[in-house]
Amino acid sequence: MPREKVVRVWDEREVVYSPKRWRYLWEKREKALGIMERLSQFDPQLYGSVARGDVRRDSDIDIFIPIKVPSYLIELAFEGLVRRRKIVMATPWHLIKGVIEIDEETAVTFPLIEPTDRELEFYRWGGTIDMWGVKTRERVPGVNKKLILIIPTERGHIEREVVGRESEVAKLLGVSIDIVTERVHVLTRRDRIGRTGIYLNEEVPDWMSFEEALKIISDRDPNVRKKVRERGGV
């Protein structure tokens, strides 16, 4: 998907969904539920636009496991369905995660080290719902990559700029003001100077476990090694 730029055009506006947009949402929700049911013992969370409702035809389906578990338990749920496996880390200070890509639009992400509360807040920032929320067609507020707060309505959603109302956004999403100010800083900086790249984005061979791959990476990378030692990794 193309990079989305931060928007500062309006204070608030309502977006009414077309029948086609509603269809895209419920089709993606149905697909997400099928994946989440395979992972039900791990409290899977659907996050991003499919949780909020502001989907497009090319919107990704992103599912996150909020607890650290042995990777093989997650992989057992997807035997024969995996397109690609990789380990990612946005910066040397961020969470180390495993990613299982099911297809071009669907991915399951899970922590390879113990996540902090702040790192879990990142997902609530974008909007998250659990399996029950998916089944009952719940939609939740969250912030998109353009730094626009999405508030679901019966007809579609309300959009509000985040910049200038950080405290209000933190309260509405149930996150700390720190995560709001951090995301505003990161996204406005990225908008100004461009994406600087992800620190770690390494494919895991089919014959290797995530933990084995992380051990190899940590042996050669002191930043990864430090994070693994601090947070109970391999």
Side-chain angles (χ1 to χ4, degrees):
M1 293 174 61
R3 185 170 67 89
E4 298 183 83
K5 295 182 71 64
V6 171
V7 171
R8 294 198 188 95
V9 177
W10 59 84
D11 184 58
E12 176 175 308
R13 73 172 186 177
E14 182 179 13
V15 176
V16 178
Y17 295 176
S18 66
K20 182 182 291 187
R21 193 169 193 180
W22 284 115
R23 187 176 75 251
Y24 291 151
L25 173 59
W26 303 131
E27 286 175 351
K28 290 178 185 292
R29 283 289 188 93
E30 184 176 358
K31 185 175 179 181
L33 182 60
I35 299 296
M36 295 172 79
E37 285 175 338
R38 292 171 175 263
L39 300 165
S40 57
Q41 62 184 308
F42 306 122
D43 189 26
Q45 305 288 311
L46 177 66
Y47 71 94
S49 64
V50 186
R52 300 186 303 260
D54 55 314
V55 300
R56 302 188 301 249
R57 184 177 183 177
D58 61 350
S59 294
D60 293 331
I61 300 170
D62 292 309
I63 296 163
F64 178 68
I65 305 297
I67 55 176
K68 180 179 176 291
V69 298
S71 65
Y72 78 89
L73 293 177
I74 298 173
E75 294 198 81
L76 282 174
F78 300 110
E79 199 166 359
L81 296 178
V82 177
R83 175 174 177 260
R84 187 166 63 156
R85 304 151 72 234
K86 58 184 182 177
I87 293 175
V88 301
M89 185 183 190
T91 75
W93 305 277
H94 281 80
L95 183 65
I96 305 171
K97 300 174 288 188
V99 179
I100 297 175
E101 294 182 357
I102 308 302
D103 55 36
E104 290 184 354
E105 71 170 4
T106 312
V108 176
T109 302
F110 53 95
L112 290 171
I113 58 175
E114 292 293 341
T116 64
D117 291 342
R118 176 78 164 269
E119 288 162 344
L120 294 177
E121 279 189 323
F122 168 80
Y123 294 93
R124 293 203 300 275
W125 157 265
T128 62
I129 53 172
D130 59 15
M131 276 182 57
W132 179 249
V134 176
K135 289 178 179 179
T136 57
R137 294 194 167 189
E138 178 186 358
R139 295 165 59 217
V140 292
V143 178
N144 66 18
K145 293 175 183 177
K146 298 178 181 179
L147 271 183
I148 295 298
L149 174 65
I150 306 296
I151 304 174
T153 66
E154 290 186 1
R155 301 199 307 166
H157 67 251
I158 298 292
E159 296 185 350
R160 294 178 185 165
E161 291 184 50
V162 171
V163 177
R165 49 165 60 97
E166 288 84 354
S167 296
E168 173 192 332
V169 171
K171 184 176 181 179
L172 177 65
L173 300 183
V175 300
S176 66
I177 188 66
D178 291 339
I179 191 70
V180 177
T181 54
E182 174 193 298
R183 297 313 300 164
V184 168
H185 171 75
V186 168
L187 292 173
T188 52
R189 181 175 184 273
R190 180 182 298 171
D191 192 54
R192 188 173 64 252
I193 68 174
R195 182 182 289 271
T196 56
I198 188 168
Y199 181 75
L200 178 65
N201 186 8
E202 189 159 322
E203 190 158 350
V204 178
D206 293 340
W207 47 269
M208 185 181 291
S209 73
F210 280 91
E211 287 80 5
E212 288 170 330
L214 181 57
K215 176 64 166 59
I216 291 171
I217 295 168
S218 66
D219 284 346
R220 70 167 192 254
D221 189 317
N223 290 316
V224 174
R225 184 165 59 249
K226 180 182 178 183
K227 190 68 69 175
V228 167
R229 286 176 176 172
E230 288 174 348
R231 305 254 215 101
V234 295

